[in-house]
mmCIF file of all heavy atoms in Angstrom:
data_model
loop_
_atom_site.group_PDB
_atom_site.id
_atom_site.type_symbol
_atom_site.label_atom_id
_atom_site.label_comp_id
_atom_site.label_asym_id
_atom_site.label_seq_id
_atom_site.Cartn_x
_atom_site.Cartn_y
_atom_site.Cartn_z
ATOM 1 N N LEU A 1370 -7.263 -16.926 -8.972
ATOM 2 C CA LEU A 1370 -6.891 -15.593 -9.433
ATOM 3 C C LEU A 1370 -8.204 -14.982 -9.926
ATOM 4 O O LEU A 1370 -8.706 -15.342 -10.988
ATOM 5 C CB LEU A 1370 -5.856 -15.653 -10.550
ATOM 6 C CG LEU A 1370 -5.359 -14.286 -11.044
ATOM 7 C CD1 LEU A 1370 -4.529 -13.582 -9.969
ATOM 8 C CD2 LEU A 1370 -4.527 -14.431 -12.320
ATOM 9 N N TYR A 1371 -8.757 -14.088 -9.128
ATOM 10 C CA TYR A 1371 -10.127 -13.605 -9.326
ATOM 11 C C TYR A 1371 -10.134 -12.249 -10.022
ATOM 12 O O TYR A 1371 -9.514 -11.295 -9.547
ATOM 13 C CB TYR A 1371 -10.815 -13.518 -7.959
ATOM 14 C CG TYR A 1371 -12.097 -12.715 -7.948
ATOM 15 C CD1 TYR A 1371 -13.220 -13.148 -8.660
ATOM 16 C CD2 TYR A 1371 -12.190 -11.524 -7.231
ATOM 17 C CE1 TYR A 1371 -14.394 -12.402 -8.656
ATOM 18 C CE2 TYR A 1371 -13.361 -10.780 -7.214
ATOM 19 C CZ TYR A 1371 -14.455 -11.222 -7.933
ATOM 20 O OH TYR A 1371 -15.612 -10.489 -7.932
ATOM 21 N N TYR A 1372 -10.845 -12.176 -11.160
ATOM 22 C CA TYR A 1372 -11.020 -10.895 -11.840
ATOM 23 C C TYR A 1372 -12.051 -10.073 -11.080
ATOM 24 O O TYR A 1372 -13.249 -10.425 -11.052
ATOM 25 C CB TYR A 1372 -11.456 -11.091 -13.291
ATOM 26 C CG TYR A 1372 -11.681 -9.780 -14.022
ATOM 27 C CD1 TYR A 1372 -10.596 -8.944 -14.304
ATOM 28 C CD2 TYR A 1372 -12.953 -9.366 -14.400
ATOM 29 C CE1 TYR A 1372 -10.790 -7.729 -14.955
ATOM 30 C CE2 TYR A 1372 -13.150 -8.163 -15.057
ATOM 31 C CZ TYR A 1372 -12.060 -7.348 -15.329
ATOM 32 O OH TYR A 1372 -12.245 -6.140 -15.964
ATOM 33 N N ALA A 1373 -11.603 -9.018 -10.421
ATOM 34 C CA ALA A 1373 -12.473 -8.183 -9.591
ATOM 35 C C ALA A 1373 -13.174 -7.163 -10.478
ATOM 36 O O ALA A 1373 -12.681 -6.044 -10.684
ATOM 37 C CB ALA A 1373 -11.651 -7.504 -8.499
ATOM 38 N N GLU A 1374 -14.336 -7.546 -10.986
ATOM 39 C CA GLU A 1374 -15.027 -6.734 -12.004
ATOM 40 C C GLU A 1374 -15.420 -5.361 -11.468
ATOM 41 O O GLU A 1374 -15.239 -4.343 -12.151
ATOM 42 C CB GLU A 1374 -16.259 -7.480 -12.508
ATOM 43 C CG GLU A 1374 -16.941 -6.809 -13.682
ATOM 44 C CD GLU A 1374 -18.037 -7.658 -14.297
ATOM 45 O OE1 GLU A 1374 -18.124 -8.853 -13.960
ATOM 46 O OE2 GLU A 1374 -18.804 -7.114 -15.116
ATOM 47 N N ASN A 1375 -15.967 -5.313 -10.265
ATOM 48 C CA ASN A 1375 -16.428 -4.032 -9.720
ATOM 49 C C ASN A 1375 -15.261 -3.099 -9.389
ATOM 50 O O ASN A 1375 -15.322 -1.891 -9.631
ATOM 51 C CB ASN A 1375 -17.281 -4.272 -8.468
ATOM 52 C CG ASN A 1375 -18.530 -5.055 -8.793
ATOM 53 O OD1 ASN A 1375 -19.109 -4.908 -9.874
ATOM 54 N ND2 ASN A 1375 -18.965 -5.914 -7.879
ATOM 55 N N LEU A 1376 -14.200 -3.681 -8.841
ATOM 56 C CA LEU A 1376 -13.002 -2.898 -8.543
ATOM 57 C C LEU A 1376 -12.366 -2.396 -9.844
ATOM 58 O O LEU A 1376 -11.895 -1.261 -9.922
ATOM 59 C CB LEU A 1376 -12.009 -3.771 -7.755
ATOM 60 C CG LEU A 1376 -11.031 -3.088 -6.798
ATOM 61 C CD1 LEU A 1376 -11.752 -2.297 -5.717
ATOM 62 C CD2 LEU A 1376 -10.117 -4.136 -6.144
ATOM 63 N N SER A 1377 -12.374 -3.247 -10.852
ATOM 64 C CA SER A 1377 -11.811 -2.871 -12.156
ATOM 65 C C SER A 1377 -12.570 -1.699 -12.775
ATOM 66 O O SER A 1377 -11.976 -0.767 -13.328
ATOM 67 C CB SER A 1377 -11.829 -4.073 -13.109
ATOM 68 O OG SER A 1377 -11.004 -5.120 -12.627
ATOM 69 N N LYS A 1378 -13.898 -1.733 -12.652
ATOM 70 C CA LYS A 1378 -14.712 -0.629 -13.186
ATOM 71 C C LYS A 1378 -14.398 0.672 -12.462
ATOM 72 O O LYS A 1378 -14.279 1.734 -13.079
ATOM 73 C CB LYS A 1378 -16.197 -0.960 -13.048
ATOM 74 C CG LYS A 1378 -16.721 -1.943 -14.077
ATOM 75 C CD LYS A 1378 -18.203 -2.229 -13.847
ATOM 76 C CE LYS A 1378 -18.707 -3.269 -14.846
ATOM 77 N NZ LYS A 1378 -20.111 -3.661 -14.540
ATOM 78 N N LYS A 1379 -14.251 0.583 -11.149
ATOM 79 C CA LYS A 1379 -13.998 1.786 -10.360
ATOM 80 C C LYS A 1379 -12.695 2.459 -10.776
ATOM 81 O O LYS A 1379 -12.609 3.686 -10.852
ATOM 82 C CB LYS A 1379 -13.965 1.454 -8.868
ATOM 83 C CG LYS A 1379 -13.620 2.675 -7.998
ATOM 84 C CD LYS A 1379 -13.747 2.412 -6.526
ATOM 85 C CE LYS A 1379 -13.280 3.610 -5.708
ATOM 86 N NZ LYS A 1379 -13.958 4.869 -6.046
ATOM 87 N N TYR A 1380 -11.672 1.660 -11.035
ATOM 88 C CA TYR A 1380 -10.353 2.226 -11.365
ATOM 89 C C TYR A 1380 -10.057 2.217 -12.860
ATOM 90 O O TYR A 1380 -8.930 2.529 -13.269
ATOM 91 C CB TYR A 1380 -9.261 1.474 -10.589
ATOM 92 C CG TYR A 1380 -9.329 1.748 -9.097
ATOM 93 C CD1 TYR A 1380 -9.928 0.835 -8.230
ATOM 94 C CD2 TYR A 1380 -8.844 2.933 -8.566
ATOM 95 C CE1 TYR A 1380 -10.018 1.092 -6.863
ATOM 96 C CE2 TYR A 1380 -8.926 3.200 -7.201
ATOM 97 C CZ TYR A 1380 -9.515 2.278 -6.368
ATOM 98 O OH TYR A 1380 -9.605 2.551 -5.012
ATOM 99 N N SER A 1381 -11.035 1.841 -13.658
ATOM 100 C CA SER A 1381 -10.917 1.861 -15.127
ATOM 101 C C SER A 1381 -9.689 1.103 -15.610
ATOM 102 O O SER A 1381 -8.904 1.596 -16.430
ATOM 103 C CB SER A 1381 -10.882 3.310 -15.644
ATOM 104 O OG SER A 1381 -12.040 4.001 -15.259
ATOM 105 N N THR A 1382 -9.529 -0.099 -15.085
ATOM 106 C CA THR A 1382 -8.424 -0.959 -15.500
ATOM 107 C C THR A 1382 -8.849 -2.408 -15.258
ATOM 108 O O THR A 1382 -10.036 -2.696 -15.088
ATOM 109 C CB THR A 1382 -7.131 -0.578 -14.759
ATOM 110 O OG1 THR A 1382 -6.026 -1.237 -15.375
ATOM 111 C CG2 THR A 1382 -7.189 -0.919 -13.285
ATOM 112 N N ASN A 1383 -7.909 -3.341 -15.280
ATOM 113 C CA ASN A 1383 -8.220 -4.761 -15.108
ATOM 114 C C ASN A 1383 -7.486 -5.299 -13.883
ATOM 115 O O ASN A 1383 -6.266 -5.488 -13.922
ATOM 116 C CB ASN A 1383 -7.801 -5.540 -16.356
ATOM 117 C CG ASN A 1383 -8.483 -5.004 -17.601
ATOM 118 O OD1 ASN A 1383 -9.676 -5.216 -17.819
ATOM 119 N ND2 ASN A 1383 -7.723 -4.267 -18.417
ATOM 120 N N ILE A 1384 -8.239 -5.516 -12.808
ATOM 121 C CA ILE A 1384 -7.639 -5.895 -11.533
ATOM 122 C C ILE A 1384 -7.962 -7.348 -11.200
ATOM 123 O O ILE A 1384 -9.136 -7.755 -11.190
ATOM 124 C CB ILE A 1384 -8.133 -4.969 -10.401
ATOM 125 C CG1 ILE A 1384 -7.741 -3.520 -10.699
ATOM 126 C CG2 ILE A 1384 -7.573 -5.423 -9.048
ATOM 127 C CD1 ILE A 1384 -8.392 -2.501 -9.775
ATOM 128 N N TYR A 1385 -6.918 -8.105 -10.939
ATOM 129 C CA TYR A 1385 -7.052 -9.500 -10.535
ATOM 130 C C TYR A 1385 -6.540 -9.647 -9.103
ATOM 131 O O TYR A 1385 -5.467 -9.134 -8.769
ATOM 132 C CB TYR A 1385 -6.237 -10.415 -11.458
ATOM 133 C CG TYR A 1385 -6.767 -10.504 -12.872
ATOM 134 C CD1 TYR A 1385 -6.480 -9.509 -13.808
ATOM 135 C CD2 TYR A 1385 -7.549 -11.578 -13.282
ATOM 136 C CE1 TYR A 1385 -6.961 -9.577 -15.108
ATOM 137 C CE2 TYR A 1385 -8.036 -11.660 -14.588
ATOM 138 C CZ TYR A 1385 -7.743 -10.664 -15.495
ATOM 139 O OH TYR A 1385 -8.220 -10.743 -16.775
ATOM 140 N N LEU A 1386 -7.295 -10.359 -8.277
ATOM 141 C CA LEU A 1386 -6.900 -10.598 -6.892
ATOM 142 C C LEU A 1386 -6.435 -12.044 -6.733
ATOM 143 O O LEU A 1386 -7.194 -12.980 -7.043
ATOM 144 C CB LEU A 1386 -8.067 -10.335 -5.935
ATOM 145 C CG LEU A 1386 -8.706 -8.946 -5.994
ATOM 146 C CD1 LEU A 1386 -9.876 -8.873 -5.014
ATOM 147 C CD2 LEU A 1386 -7.686 -7.860 -5.697
ATOM 148 N N LYS A 1387 -5.206 -12.222 -6.276
ATOM 149 C CA LYS A 1387 -4.711 -13.564 -5.962
ATOM 150 C C LYS A 1387 -5.203 -13.909 -4.556
ATOM 151 O O LYS A 1387 -4.755 -13.324 -3.573
ATOM 152 C CB LYS A 1387 -3.185 -13.619 -6.055
ATOM 153 C CG LYS A 1387 -2.594 -15.006 -5.782
ATOM 154 C CD LYS A 1387 -3.137 -16.069 -6.709
ATOM 155 C CE LYS A 1387 -2.409 -17.405 -6.504
ATOM 156 N NZ LYS A 1387 -3.161 -18.540 -7.087
ATOM 157 N N ARG A 1388 -6.120 -14.867 -4.459
ATOM 158 C CA ARG A 1388 -6.904 -15.086 -3.253
ATOM 159 C C ARG A 1388 -6.192 -15.997 -2.240
ATOM 160 O O ARG A 1388 -6.668 -17.090 -1.896
ATOM 161 C CB ARG A 1388 -8.277 -15.642 -3.622
ATOM 162 C CG ARG A 1388 -9.146 -14.713 -4.481
ATOM 163 C CD ARG A 1388 -9.601 -13.474 -3.745
ATOM 164 N NE ARG A 1388 -10.285 -13.787 -2.493
ATOM 165 C CZ ARG A 1388 -11.577 -14.106 -2.392
ATOM 166 N NH1 ARG A 1388 -12.346 -14.139 -3.467
ATOM 167 N NH2 ARG A 1388 -12.113 -14.356 -1.213
ATOM 168 N N GLU A 1389 -5.086 -15.523 -1.680
ATOM 169 C CA GLU A 1389 -4.395 -16.283 -0.627
ATOM 170 C C GLU A 1389 -5.229 -16.347 0.654
ATOM 171 O O GLU A 1389 -4.979 -17.172 1.532
ATOM 172 C CB GLU A 1389 -3.024 -15.675 -0.348
ATOM 173 C CG GLU A 1389 -2.026 -15.840 -1.475
ATOM 174 C CD GLU A 1389 -1.760 -17.305 -1.799
ATOM 175 O OE1 GLU A 1389 -1.166 -18.009 -0.965
ATOM 176 O OE2 GLU A 1389 -2.165 -17.754 -2.894
ATOM 177 N N ASP A 1390 -6.219 -15.463 0.746
ATOM 178 C CA ASP A 1390 -7.129 -15.490 1.907
ATOM 179 C C ASP A 1390 -7.968 -16.759 1.947
ATOM 180 O O ASP A 1390 -8.549 -17.099 2.987
ATOM 181 C CB ASP A 1390 -8.044 -14.264 1.894
ATOM 182 C CG ASP A 1390 -8.882 -14.169 0.617
ATOM 183 O OD1 ASP A 1390 -8.309 -14.290 -0.482
ATOM 184 O OD2 ASP A 1390 -10.106 -13.978 0.729
ATOM 185 N N LEU A 1391 -8.034 -17.486 0.836
ATOM 186 C CA LEU A 1391 -8.844 -18.703 0.774
ATOM 187 C C LEU A 1391 -8.067 -19.968 1.135
ATOM 188 O O LEU A 1391 -8.636 -21.063 1.135
ATOM 189 C CB LEU A 1391 -9.480 -18.845 -0.621
ATOM 190 C CG LEU A 1391 -10.466 -17.727 -0.992
ATOM 191 C CD1 LEU A 1391 -11.013 -17.937 -2.391
ATOM 192 C CD2 LEU A 1391 -11.609 -17.660 0.017
ATOM 193 N N ASN A 1392 -6.800 -19.833 1.444
ATOM 194 C CA ASN A 1392 -6.029 -20.972 1.944
ATOM 195 C C ASN A 1392 -6.577 -21.456 3.283
ATOM 196 O O ASN A 1392 -7.150 -20.681 4.052
ATOM 197 C CB ASN A 1392 -4.563 -20.574 2.175
ATOM 198 C CG ASN A 1392 -3.753 -20.511 0.911
ATOM 199 O OD1 ASN A 1392 -3.941 -21.311 0.007
ATOM 200 N ND2 ASN A 1392 -2.832 -19.562 0.850
ATOM 201 N N HIS A 1393 -6.348 -22.726 3.601
ATOM 202 C CA HIS A 1393 -6.598 -23.224 4.949
ATOM 203 C C HIS A 1393 -5.821 -22.343 5.935
ATOM 204 O O HIS A 1393 -4.661 -22.030 5.694
ATOM 205 C CB HIS A 1393 -6.132 -24.681 5.048
ATOM 206 C CG HIS A 1393 -6.299 -25.291 6.406
ATOM 207 N ND1 HIS A 1393 -7.420 -25.094 7.163
ATOM 208 C CD2 HIS A 1393 -5.478 -26.088 7.134
ATOM 209 C CE1 HIS A 1393 -7.291 -25.753 8.308
ATOM 210 N NE2 HIS A 1393 -6.115 -26.360 8.319
ATOM 211 N N THR A 1394 -6.460 -21.920 6.975
ATOM 212 C CA THR A 1394 -5.976 -20.972 8.014
ATOM 213 C C THR A 1394 -6.145 -19.517 7.613
ATOM 214 O O THR A 1394 -5.913 -18.632 8.421
ATOM 215 C CB THR A 1394 -4.529 -21.215 8.498
ATOM 216 O OG1 THR A 1394 -3.588 -20.804 7.499
ATOM 217 C CG2 THR A 1394 -4.293 -22.676 8.866
ATOM 218 N N GLY A 1395 -6.507 -19.229 6.366
ATOM 219 C CA GLY A 1395 -6.894 -17.871 6.010
ATOM 220 C C GLY A 1395 -5.819 -16.923 5.552
ATOM 221 O O GLY A 1395 -6.065 -15.716 5.481
ATOM 222 N N ALA A 1396 -4.649 -17.431 5.218
ATOM 223 C CA ALA A 1396 -3.583 -16.547 4.729
ATOM 224 C C ALA A 1396 -2.514 -17.360 4.010
ATOM 225 O O ALA A 1396 -2.521 -18.598 4.025
ATOM 226 C CB ALA A 1396 -2.958 -15.765 5.892
ATOM 227 N N HIS A 1397 -1.566 -16.631 3.426
ATOM 228 C CA HIS A 1397 -0.459 -17.269 2.693
ATOM 229 C C HIS A 1397 0.512 -18.001 3.601
ATOM 230 O O HIS A 1397 1.288 -18.836 3.145
ATOM 231 C CB HIS A 1397 0.307 -16.202 1.915
ATOM 232 C CG HIS A 1397 1.095 -15.280 2.791
ATOM 233 N ND1 HIS A 1397 0.487 -14.339 3.611
ATOM 234 C CD2 HIS A 1397 2.431 -15.163 3.026
ATOM 235 C CE1 HIS A 1397 1.416 -13.690 4.285
ATOM 236 N NE2 HIS A 1397 2.592 -14.165 3.955
#
């Protein structure tokens, strides 16, 4: 669960990305 610091700054909030793209095969 990645805190996207740059994205958070852009939208002035706290955005976390759940990285299902990092699973084996590349998706959920």
